[in-house]
Amino acid sequence: MSRGALQPSQQKLAEKLTILNDRGIGMLTRIYNIKKACGDPKAKPSYLIDKNLESAVKFIVRKFPAIETRNNNQQLAQLQKEKSEILKNLALYYFTFVDVMEFKCMWYIRYIDLFLFSVLVGFILCHAALSSDAAALSLWKLALQSSSCLCLFRDEVFHIHKSAEDLFVNIRGYNKRVNDIRECKESALSHAGSMHRERRKFLRSALKELATVLADQPGLLGPKALFVFMALSFARDEIIWLLRHADNIQKKSTDDFIDKHIAELIFYMEELRAHVRKYGPVMQRYYVQYLSGFDAVVLNELVQNLSVCPEDESIIMSSFVNTMTSLSVKQVEDGEVFDFRGLRLDWFRLQAYTSVSKASLGLADHRELGKMMNTIIFHTKMVDSLVEMLVETSDIPVSPPCRYTAGTFTKCLFLPNIVPSNIQFNLRHHIGDRSLSLCNMFLDEMAKQARNLITDICTEQCTLSDQLLPKHCAKTISQAVNKKSKKQTGKKGEPEREKPGVESMRKNRLLVTNLDKLHTALSELCFSINYVPNMMVWEHTFTPREYLTSHLEIRFTKSIVGMTMYNQATQEIAKPSELLTSVRAYMTVLQSIENYVQIDITRVFNNVLLQQTQHLDSHGEPTITSLYTNWYLETLLRQVSNGHIAYFPAMKAFVNLPTENELTFNAEEYSDISEMRSLSELLGPYGMKFLSESLMWHISSQVAELKKLVVDNVEVLTQMRTSFDKPDHMAALFKRLTSVDSVLKRMTIIGVILSFRSLAQEALRDVLSCHIPFLVSSVEDFKDHIPRETDMKVAMNVYELSSAAGLPCEIDPALVVALSSQKSENISPEEEYKIACLLMVFVAVSMPTLASNVMSQYSPAIEGHCNNIHCLAKAINQIAAALFTIHKGSIEDRLKEFLALASSSLLKIGQETDKSTTRNRESVYLLLDMIVQESPFLTMDLLESCFPYVLLRNAYHAVYKQSVSSSA
């Protein structure tokens, strides 16, 4: 049939049908979206529910689209007021309806329903064939038994049985057909679910095997491409069937419609899709050679053997052969973009030419030609339309499964071997806000589950690490000693305590521990999280790993704080060394996560641990720094002030004293060098700096009270300052002093706090020396070589740097800052300086009263006094250095003055005859030696000039002799 014989309306029929098909899908999409929007009260246009416009809406609906507005209709009066705004907001709705009316019974049916729709609807329309043709009736019943509803568009469905029954029940003589429909409906409700479930089960294993084979041999994608796309379409059809029927029919057995393994099937589909996308060039090479080397030859032979071939048809088929013959592998290697849309459109056109009545060349008479051309069309799509083929065969409409997958996802999270597939739930959602919220929810749930597994593993690992702590070895040592001495201490048959490490001994490979199960589940879940680095959903990028990272940070933070086991009511807290062991075990587990998923665990550590060195974390919650700082200040040091704990310099620790009310904790277990080093490891330089600042705040409050006491005694102290060489006058003045005991007690508290800080600083220096030895040595060298003539501001900056590294300084910068922040009203700088000088006088002249205290006895074993007065040496030196740095006085001169006053005052008690006031005279004498030993500004020569060394030597001899006699 020549081209000239075609009617004008028949020309370019292929192009028209192609455009019409695409436009039909677009029309359906627009109508569907309008229906959904109008069905949602929140999304429905306000004009359609406005009471004032209700009559106008009804009038328009009745008359649409021919609406007469020129007669000043009263029903449209209100509408005219808002005309411009309504036109602006409802234009899309109007033009959609107009387009639909112009378009006029296009139906869009997915491949899944194409056969069923053709059979079911075809025989409903041609129902006479059901009575005359047994094969037709059998085919119709088979279709009725396999499904209960057909998809029209997205979640719009067509209920087959109801529609057929409603039609046949009104036709006389069709009672048997109605009964057949009811039987088929019952069969579909009872058996279709289980039948499709078994299909999905088969497809899961088939797709898994196919994906595994293609991953190992991607070259098979060429010859097996048809099987790949068939597998994808079969799986897609079964998934859509399940999603459609799960929401739209009454089920007799819900188990058949809740598939916990659906994610696995989708996962294998995604694997196949990934292979096709990745190895697209491999498939292109194969089919380019296939088209040019085989298809072109066979088609040419078929064309040559045609008995009749009109000119137009001959031109088109010759172009087919020429196009395929010109193909070469080099085009693929050069990255040339192929486009066979023209060839496929020509085949569409050729089918139109050869299918009309009275065609010279009838396609129905040349079936081999049609089969070959259909094969060629498939082969061309393997070259230039792989992405479109993936969409056509494996794209899943997502409107129906939103509610289904939300419920199924949670169930899948806890199934072994299914967890790695869960990421597919996120990859399949691409519909607006619903997609974003679901994607966020799924990823968040996956991250939470992974976080919970990691937490359980960490708990198990912390328990194992706890078994290695030194506190657990006592029982083992005791058993070993008893066994060696052959003593029977325990009950007969008492099992021997299992040693750490026995959990790793396996008698066989079938033995699976709880830790093994946790690691297996975690590896599968992390595989899912790590499957794709990013996902694009409606121009939003989701990164699954970041969800896990975020949850790990939050959980790690809570776990660290929780592992302190701080109880505010009982003031109990974990020992720093035990917490450090648990934190390290936790970190070891978190580091192992990098073996499962590509996340930066170091970033997690930095974010969490650095926050723990601050007073509050990023959420405003207490940190281990604040908890331990409060505990040491409010519990340990408060008990020291109450006389229940003493600082033992020989042990470099605080130790419980025997008292009536035993403490709930052992101070030594929280303050010895190993515990302080553990504390420094946990808190780091920032946390230790906060601890120091908190300690200094307490010291500054004590100094403020001391200044008040000085002010109360300012006249007496001023006279005593210049009368130290007049013993009788000094004695008379001393009797006029008030609050002497309070001064010494507050100074002792200051000394205790400074001693604790000294322990903390030493521990920090040890820790930093291990971590950053070269930097610490540089800071130390810098500090030790400050010239004496250096400006004090410069020197204080160096001291601040040194203090941050844990190095001891002549002048404590933190103490200087704390004391300088005190503001006294109506007191001049000169007066402040005078008060500071008199404070040192007050302490010096008060020291002799310590000799009358029973607890002031010096103990050589602890190198101190049980009432902590040995801490006065540190308090006097550091308070003097800080105060006279602030007031720009001479530290050495003021300490010399202090030493002269203290020596004079202490020498007087050597002349006392009252044994009650001199019972611990020798122990108090030793304070002068301690003060000089502690001070960088005083020397032994200076002390010798004030206080004879022979008295110190005799004092040491006396206290040691007394100590020996007491112990005996």
Short mmCIF file of all heavy atoms in Angstrom, two decimals, residues 302 347 363 366-377:
data_model
loop_
_atom_site.label_atom_id
_atom_site.label_comp_id
_atom_site.label_asym_id
_atom_site.label_seq_id
_atom_site.Cartn_x
_atom_site.Cartn_y
_atom_site.Cartn_z
N LEU A 302 14.88 -12.31 5.14
CA LEU A 302 13.42 -12.33 5.19
C LEU A 302 12.82 -11.32 4.22
O LEU A 302 11.81 -11.59 3.55
CB LEU A 302 12.94 -12.01 6.62
CG LEU A 302 13.19 -13.10 7.68
CD1 LEU A 302 12.81 -12.59 9.06
CD2 LEU A 302 12.38 -14.35 7.35
N TRP A 347 9.26 1.04 12.91
CA TRP A 347 8.60 -0.27 13.05
C TRP A 347 7.14 -0.09 13.47
O TRP A 347 6.25 -0.80 12.99
CB TRP A 347 9.35 -1.11 14.08
CG TRP A 347 8.65 -2.38 14.50
CD1 TRP A 347 8.38 -2.78 15.76
CD2 TRP A 347 8.13 -3.41 13.65
NE1 TRP A 347 7.74 -3.99 15.77
CE2 TRP A 347 7.56 -4.40 14.47
CE3 TRP A 347 8.06 -3.59 12.26
CZ2 TRP A 347 6.96 -5.55 13.99
CZ3 TRP A 347 7.45 -4.74 11.77
CH2 TRP A 347 6.91 -5.71 12.62
N LEU A 363 0.92 -7.99 7.50
CA LEU A 363 1.85 -8.49 8.53
C LEU A 363 1.39 -9.82 9.10
O LEU A 363 2.21 -10.66 9.49
CB LEU A 363 1.98 -7.44 9.66
CG LEU A 363 3.08 -7.69 10.70
CD1 LEU A 363 4.45 -7.72 10.04
CD2 LEU A 363 3.05 -6.61 11.79
N HIS A 366 2.94 -12.77 7.45
CA HIS A 366 4.41 -12.94 7.55
C HIS A 366 4.83 -12.86 9.02
O HIS A 366 5.43 -11.89 9.50
CB HIS A 366 5.13 -11.85 6.74
CG HIS A 366 4.81 -11.89 5.29
ND1 HIS A 366 3.69 -11.30 4.75
CD2 HIS A 366 5.47 -12.48 4.24
CE1 HIS A 366 3.66 -11.50 3.44
NE2 HIS A 366 4.73 -12.22 3.10
N ARG A 367 4.44 -13.89 9.76
CA ARG A 367 4.67 -13.90 11.21
C ARG A 367 6.15 -13.89 11.56
O ARG A 367 6.56 -13.29 12.56
CB ARG A 367 4.00 -15.13 11.82
CG ARG A 367 2.48 -15.07 11.76
CD ARG A 367 1.84 -16.31 12.39
NE ARG A 367 0.38 -16.21 12.39
CZ ARG A 367 -0.31 -15.63 13.37
NH1 ARG A 367 0.32 -15.13 14.39
NH2 ARG A 367 -1.63 -15.57 13.29
N GLU A 368 6.97 -14.58 10.74
CA GLU A 368 8.39 -14.62 11.04
C GLU A 368 9.01 -13.23 10.99
O GLU A 368 9.90 -12.90 11.77
CB GLU A 368 9.11 -15.55 10.04
CG GLU A 368 8.77 -17.02 10.22
CD GLU A 368 9.13 -17.52 11.61
OE1 GLU A 368 10.20 -17.11 12.12
OE2 GLU A 368 8.35 -18.30 12.19
N LEU A 369 8.52 -12.40 10.05
CA LEU A 369 9.01 -11.04 9.96
C LEU A 369 8.67 -10.26 11.23
O LEU A 369 9.50 -9.52 11.78
CB LEU A 369 8.43 -10.34 8.73
CG LEU A 369 8.80 -8.86 8.56
CD1 LEU A 369 10.31 -8.70 8.38
CD2 LEU A 369 8.04 -8.26 7.37
N GLY A 370 7.43 -10.43 11.69
CA GLY A 370 7.01 -9.74 12.92
C GLY A 370 7.81 -10.18 14.12
O GLY A 370 8.24 -9.36 14.95
N LYS A 371 8.03 -11.51 14.25
CA LYS A 371 8.82 -12.02 15.37
C LYS A 371 10.23 -11.47 15.34
O LYS A 371 10.80 -11.05 16.36
CB LYS A 371 8.85 -13.55 15.34
CG LYS A 371 7.52 -14.21 15.66
CD LYS A 371 7.67 -15.73 15.58
CE LYS A 371 6.35 -16.43 15.88
NZ LYS A 371 6.49 -17.91 15.75
N MET A 372 10.83 -11.47 14.14
CA MET A 372 12.21 -10.99 14.02
C MET A 372 12.31 -9.52 14.36
O MET A 372 13.26 -9.10 15.05
CB MET A 372 12.70 -11.24 12.58
CG MET A 372 14.20 -10.98 12.42
SD MET A 372 15.15 -12.12 13.45
CE MET A 372 16.63 -11.15 13.73
N MET A 373 11.35 -8.74 13.88
CA MET A 373 11.41 -7.31 14.16
C MET A 373 11.21 -7.01 15.65
O MET A 373 11.86 -6.12 16.22
CB MET A 373 10.35 -6.56 13.34
CG MET A 373 10.77 -6.26 11.91
SD MET A 373 12.36 -5.40 11.78
CE MET A 373 12.07 -3.97 12.78
N ASN A 374 10.32 -7.78 16.30
CA ASN A 374 10.14 -7.60 17.74
C ASN A 374 11.43 -7.94 18.51
O ASN A 374 11.79 -7.29 19.49
CB ASN A 374 8.98 -8.45 18.26
CG ASN A 374 7.63 -7.86 17.90
OD1 ASN A 374 7.52 -6.64 17.71
ND2 ASN A 374 6.62 -8.69 17.79
N THR A 375 12.11 -8.99 18.03
CA THR A 375 13.40 -9.34 18.64
C THR A 375 14.42 -8.24 18.45
O THR A 375 15.18 -7.88 19.35
CB THR A 375 13.93 -10.66 18.03
OG1 THR A 375 12.97 -11.70 18.25
CG2 THR A 375 15.26 -11.05 18.67
N ILE A 376 14.46 -7.69 17.23
CA ILE A 376 15.40 -6.58 16.94
C ILE A 376 15.09 -5.37 17.82
O ILE A 376 16.01 -4.72 18.34
CB ILE A 376 15.32 -6.22 15.44
CG1 ILE A 376 15.94 -7.34 14.60
CG2 ILE A 376 16.04 -4.89 15.17
CD1 ILE A 376 15.75 -7.17 13.10
N ILE A 377 13.81 -5.08 17.99
CA ILE A 377 13.43 -3.94 18.84
C ILE A 377 13.95 -4.16 20.27
O ILE A 377 14.48 -3.23 20.91
CB ILE A 377 11.90 -3.75 18.85
CG1 ILE A 377 11.42 -3.34 17.46
CG2 ILE A 377 11.49 -2.72 19.89
CD1 ILE A 377 12.07 -2.08 16.92
#
